[in-house]
Amino acid sequence: KAGVTQTPRYLIKTRGQQVTLSCSPISGHRSVSWYQQTPGQGLQFLFEYFSETQRNKGNFPGRFSGRQFSNSRSEMNVSTLELGDSALYLCASSPGQGAVGYTFGSGTRLTVV
Amino acid sequence: QKEVEQDPGPLSVPEGAIVSLNCTYSNSAFQYFMWYRQYSRKGPELLMYTYSSGNKEDGRFTAQVDKSSKYISLFIRDSQPSDSATYLCAMGPIYSGAGSYQLTFGKGTKLSVIP
């Protein structure tokens, strides 16, 4: 059974650019959540998508956005990158509908220079 | 006060030692308590999952939840070098409407088991 796949694994971007990260959840999982992980703040919730609808959002600025496609694959976009956006971005999938416990991907390491 | 507190370590122990990892929390509504293990350059993987109070054992790993004290623990017996990783506690759910929930994570404790 394939796990959660995130691409790319590593990215280096310049301040002011934008970036798109991709996540393919476990087959049959309809919920995809995105988290930002930094040494100082730990894991912080960005947003959750279920059946192509964003149904929950964390406390991040509007520069962070996402979407989910009909096959449950999800993308997140960060516009006007700042140095503080350097982090590991993790995608987690779950069956949804109250299921507790995520399966995480290996993450995308974003470095903003 | 943060919702979940976890000692970041680092924690270094000799092989074969018993390891105790802990988290405290403030939200009495939490019902699910989890431990994730994260190896370097990998995403977290679910290690143990407990509902409400009590103990749960899985091989060398034991998870304990004390809701009265708002305190959870993970014990690792006969620790191995392969146990070297960052351990994150997580708890929830926090329901946000429309069937959505999220978990609150501790910042993680970095464990090194020395051969």
Side-chain angles (χ1 to χ4, degrees), chain B residues 27-102:
Chain B
N27 189 338
S28 57
F30 288 150
Q31 299 177 62
Y32 297 92
F33 303 90
M34 285 152 247
W35 288 94
Y36 283 83
R37 177 175 62 194
Q38 185 173 20
Y39 290 115
S40 181
R41 297 187 179 85
K42 294 285 189 182
E45 59 175 327
L46 183 62
L47 194 60
M48 300 280 288
Y49 156 55
T50 308
Y51 175 73
S52 194
S53 283
N55 295 356
K56 187 172 185 178
E57 189 172 318
D58 183 1
R60 297 184 295 109
F61 298 87
T62 300
Q64 286 186 353
V65 175
D66 182 349
K67 291 188 74 177
S68 62
S69 302
K70 297 190 178 68
Y71 188 87
I72 71 170
S73 301
L74 177 71
F75 297 96
I76 307 174
R77 291 184 301 279
D78 187 25
S79 57
Q80 302 295 308
S82 58
D83 295 328
S84 298
T86 297
Y87 291 80
L88 302 104
C89 61
M91 46 199 80
I94 301 171
Y95 287 107
S96 305
S100 175
Y101 76 91
Q102 64 186 84

Side-chain angles (χ1 to χ4, degrees), chain A residues 97-110:
Chain A
Q97 297 300 322
V100 180
Y102 298 126
T103 301
F104 283 92
S106 292
T108 295
R109 172 73 63 185
L110 172 65

